[in-house]
Amino acid sequence: MCGIIGYVSKGEWVPEPALFQKAVDSLSHRGPNERGIWNNDQAGLGFRRLSIIDLQTGSQPMSNEDGTLHLIFNGEIYNFPELRDHLESRGHHFKTRSDSETILHLYEDLGERCVENLRGMFAFAIYDEPRHTLFLARDRFGKKPLVYSETATGFYFASEIGSLLKLADCTRDVHPDALDAYLTLQYVPSPYTAWKEIRRLPAASTMFVRDGKASLPARYWELDWTKQLPAGVSDEDAVREMRELLEQSVRSRSMADVPLGAFLSGGVDSSITAAAMKKVNGKVRTFCIGFDDPRFDESDHARKVARILNTDHFEMRVQPDSLDSLDELVDHMGEPFADQSLLPTHLLSRFTYKHVTVALSGDGGDELFGGYKRYQHLKRARQLQRLGLSQPWLLGSRLVFAMERLVNSSRRSLKWPRSALDTIVGRGDIEQYLALLGSWHDEDRLSIWKHSPEGHFAAAWIDNHLSMHQKLRGIAKWQAVDVETYLADDILRKVDHASMACSLEVRCPLLDQDIAAFAASLPARLREKGRRRTKVILKRLYPEAFPPKFFDREKKGFSMPIGKWMRRQWKDTVEESIEGKWSAGLEATFRRTELQRVWTEHLSEHYDHGQRLWTWFMLWKWDQRFHPQWNQ
C-alpha cells in the first residue's frame, strides 16, 4: 500500500525537481518507508512506499527487463503467485518477490487487458517510454484512489487531491454542480471532484495518455446481477460455497510480511470476517472502538464476539476531543466529505496501527448482501404504492402523531416525520433513495444557495445508474446502484483515506470478485427474511460460533453521536462555521440566515439536524483549508 503521483508533459515544460519531490513527499503518510522517483525529459513518476510484501526488493518506480516500461503501483495483488508462475513459464524473468513486478510483465503480454487478470485492490500507472504513453488503471470496486488533471502544460495524476494540487497547474475553481451533489449525498460522485479541473478515474476503469493527451476512461468490468444461482442448488449448498469462498478470500488477503489484525464492530460483516480469519490463520488480533453514548456503542457486542472466537482483543473509547484529528483528514480528502464515520474510522485505524500494519474489514457486506435499513424502507414503500395505500398510510401516521402531541406536547422526541417510511411514502424512486441517504435535499438544499443550481445533479447521477438496473427485482436494483455509487465513492474512499492517513493497510475479503458475483446471484430468501432478518446467508456461515438468533438485533451502523456533541462539546466550533468569519466565496454563494435557522432548531433539541450541519461544517472546513475559487 503506497502513494503514487506523476505527470506527462505536453511540451518542453516539466516541474522543477524540488517541486516534484515536495509533491511526492506530501504522500509520505501513505508510504513512510521509502521514496522513489523516475523521470526523463517528458514524464515523471513518484512513489512513497508502505512495505507490506517483499520488504527488501520491492522498491518503485519499477522497470521491466529492457527498461522500456516503468511502473508505480498502490495496492495489493492477491493472485500474484499464480500469475508469476504463468509468466515465468512464458519466459519472463523476475528480479523481485513483489506483486508489483507481476503487473509489469502481465502488461507486456496483454496490454490494457492485464487488469482482467488481477485480483486485488489497485491503482497504478505504467509509462511506456519509447511510445510516450501512460496507462492508468483502478480496481473493480474502487478501493484505491486515483485523481487526475489535464492542463495546457501536461497531464497530472496522484493518489490524493492535495498532492495533485501541489504539482499540477490546474485552476482552483470549484465545481458547483459537484458541490450541490455533495450537499445531498455527503460525497462528491465520480468522475467528478469538488474541483472543476480535477477528475477521478472511476472504479473498474482504465485510460491512456498519449503525448500528454488523455483518452476517455474505459470500463473493463461490471458486476452481473442478472445471473441467478442454479435452481438445483440448495440453501445448504449455497452456505457451504459461500463459506469456502470467504475463507479462500481471507487466506489470500492474509499474505503479508508484516503483522495482521481485523476490525471488529460486533456486527455481522466484521464478525464473520473475524471468524473466517480465525479458521484460516488460527490466532487473530481484533480491534474495536466504543462510545459512552449507548445509541452508538457496540463494544459490548464486539467483546462478546471476541470471547466466542477467542481473539486477542483490543478496545479504545472515543471521546468528543477526537475533533482534533479533523484538519489532517480534510487535507488528505482534498474535498468536502461528510460521512460522519470518517473520523471514528481514522481513530480506529490509528489505534490498530499501534499493533499491526494490515487489518481486514467487513466492508462491502451491506451492499452485496442487502444489509442496509434503507432497503427495507424502500421495499415497504413500494408495497404500499403497489397496493394503493400510500396516502392512507400517511393520513394514519399523521393522525397518530397528532394524538401523541395532544397527550404529551412537551416531549422533545416528538417530531414529524415519525419514521423513515413517513419520509419516503408517496415519492418517486430517486426521491425516496435520496431522502434516506442524503443530507440537504429538496427545498432545504436549494434554500442555502444564493443562486440556485440548475437541475439536480445528484438525482440525475443516481437516476443514470438506476436506469441500468430497472429490470432487477426487489432490493437488488438498489444494491446494484449502491455498489456503483455509495460503496465506491463513500465507503471505500472513507476507509482508504482514514486508514492511510496513519499508514494502515485495510483489506476487504467480502469484496473479492468471486464473492461479489456469488452474492449477486443469490435468491431473495438468502438475503432477507422479513423486516429484520437480513444478510441471511452470512448469519448462517458459522453456526458453531454464532447461534441462529445471535445477530438478530437492531443495526446501529458505525457513526458518532454528532448531534449531541454539537450541542455540547463541539458547540463553539460548529457555531463558528455558521456565525463566524466566512471567505468571500462562501459569503457570495450561501445563505447564512438559512444555516442559522437550522442551527437554532438543532440547539432547541426539538430537531436533530446533526448530519445536515456536519455536511455544512465539512464544506466550511474544506474552504478554510484549501481556499478554493468560488467564481463569485
Side-chain angles (χ1 to χ4, degrees), residues 231 233-235 522-529 536-537 540:
V233 177
S234 67
D235 288 2
L522 289 174
R525 68 179 182 276
L526 289 176
R527 300 184 204 183
E528 52 177 332
K529 283 186 179 179
V536 174
I537 193 169
R540 293 176 58 180

Side-chain angles (χ1 to χ4, degrees), residues 293 295-296 340 412-417 438-441 444 559-568 597-614:
D293 190 327
R295 295 173 302 162
F296 298 85
Q340 58 179 279
R412 287 179 172 174
S413 60
L414 290 177
K415 61 177 186 278
W416 178 264
S439 180
W440 294 86
H441 43 74
D444 292 326
S559 57
M560 306 178 293
I562 58 171
K564 177 181 176 182
W565 288 354
M566 282 178 176
R567 297 187 185 104
R568 294 177 175 85
R597 180 189 66 78
V598 173
W599 178 237
T600 300
E601 288 184 353
H602 184 74
L603 292 177
S604 75
E605 298 191 38
H606 286 286
Y607 300 87
D608 187 353
H609 294 313
Q611 184 56 57
R612 189 175 295 181
L613 290 165
W614 183 252

Side-chain angles (χ1 to χ4, degrees), residues 417-432:
R418 296 174 61 248
S419 67
L421 193 57
D422 292 336
T423 302
I424 65 174
V425 165
R427 300 186 179 203
D429 279 354
I430 306 299
E431 290 177 306
Q432 289 179 351

